[in-house]
Amino acid sequence: MNKIKYCIWDVGNVIYQYSLEPLHQWCKTHTQDQTLFEANKGKFNYNDYMKGLVPFEQLCQQLCDFYGVLYDKKYCPEINKAFHQGIIEYFSETRKAQNFLSAQGIENCILSNALPVLGEDEKINQIIKPQHRFCSFELGLLKPDPKIYQTVKDKLDCEFNELIFVDDKAQNTSAAAMLGIHTITYKKKSILKDIKNILSPSSPHALGKSR
């Protein structure tokens, strides 16, 4: 088995707890149609924005239309603020696991289906080197598309079995495991143990098996 070189982390609800509730509350406060808002709450599709196909101002207009808010360009900073208010808590358990990996000479990376408005997170940027940060809006791809894992592997110039991938969504870890990546479906309380199990030479885990 090849030596693990990189651990690739999802961001939302893996590095930090994230919620769209502040945005929904903003929309609820500004909507002119409470019935429409309640019917549509949580159903907006961010895929094109996360793939980098939609600029932020256009996203704001789309959100307003979707939730019955009369759009005004001045709302863009308020919507930006609401997105950032969704960052609730950075997980100390994840940070401890990342520190452990660094001590083993394993580089930490991120791979996120990311909202571009959150792309310049200062705390994450202090932890993850620029060349090891991979976001959907830069790659034009979304997990669980196998092409996104292939792209990251090529950029890191390594083999699939030299990677660990951690994500909170089983569909994403399953897709990565199919390629031969060591995967962990994130659980905050057991993440360090799960990492150590993969790194242990005596571990009975199968290559690419999702944990």
Side-chain angles (χ1 to χ4, degrees):
M1 182 178 70
N2 288 9
K3 183 179 185 299
I4 301 297
K5 294 181 178 178
Y6 300 98
C7 184
I8 304 172
W9 300 83
D10 183 31
V11 177
N13 297 317
V14 172
I15 291 180
Y16 56 61
Q17 183 182 359
Y18 189 77
S19 172
L20 288 168
E21 190 57 28
L23 174 68
H24 294 156
Q25 287 301 314
W26 183 91
C27 293
K28 183 176 182 179
T29 299
H30 290 79
T31 187
Q32 296 185 330
D33 188 338
Q34 289 292 336
T35 300
L36 176 65
F37 168 78
E38 293 296 340
N40 285 350
K41 183 180 178 182
K43 297 178 181 178
F44 185 84
N45 189 323
Y46 291 92
N47 284 359
D48 284 347
Y49 180 58
M50 290 191 296
K51 290 172 71 173
L53 301 176
V54 174
F56 185 68
E57 185 176 338
Q58 184 178 343
L59 172 74
C60 293
Q61 186 166 2
Q62 290 175 349
L63 282 166
C64 287
D65 292 344
F66 191 77
Y67 288 117
V69 177
L70 184 61
Y71 174 73
D72 191 311
K73 188 175 180 179
K74 70 180 182 183
Y75 287 151
C76 291
E78 297 178 23
I79 293 173
N80 184 319
K81 182 179 179 180
F83 275 121
H84 282 86
Q85 287 173 333
I87 300 175
I88 300 169
E89 173 193 6
Y90 285 79
F91 296 140
S92 60
E93 293 87 350
T94 297
R95 191 70 189 104
K96 184 176 181 179
Q98 290 172 333
N99 287 337
F100 171 80
L101 287 161
S102 294
Q104 311 306 308
I106 297 170
E107 296 277 1
N108 289 291
C109 310
I110 61 168
L111 174 59
S112 177
N113 286 354
L115 300 166
V117 70
L118 300 177
E120 291 301 321
D121 181 83
E122 184 176 341
K123 288 188 178 181
I124 289 178
N125 292 348
Q126 292 172 354
I127 299 168
I128 309 295
K129 297 176 182 178
Q131 66 269 31
H132 294 158
R133 300 196 291 261
F134 306 105
C135 295
S136 56
F137 57 85
E138 295 172 332
L139 303 177
L141 297 163
L142 293 171
K143 298 175 291 185
D145 187 339
K147 292 179 182 177
I148 199 168
Y149 307 108
Q150 178 72 52
T151 299
V152 170
K153 179 191 81 73
D154 292 345
K155 287 181 178 293
L156 293 173
D157 191 24
C158 66
E159 302 299 325
F160 282 127
N161 62 359
E162 295 173 325
L163 300 173
I164 299 173
F165 174 61
V166 184
D167 197 291
D168 64 312
K169 295 181 176 61
Q171 64 186 21
N172 294 339
T173 53
S174 293
M178 291 291 290
L179 298 171
I181 298 172
H182 304 276
T183 60
I184 298 170
T185 301
Y186 182 80
K187 293 181 178 60
K188 184 169 61 172
K189 292 183 178 180
S190 64
I191 183 58
L192 182 57
K193 178 182 177 182
D194 292 338
I195 290 284
K196 288 180 177 179
N197 283 343
I198 286 179
L199 297 181
S200 172
S202 61
S203 173
H205 77 278
L207 181 63
K209 182 179 178 181
S210 291
R211 292 189 166 276

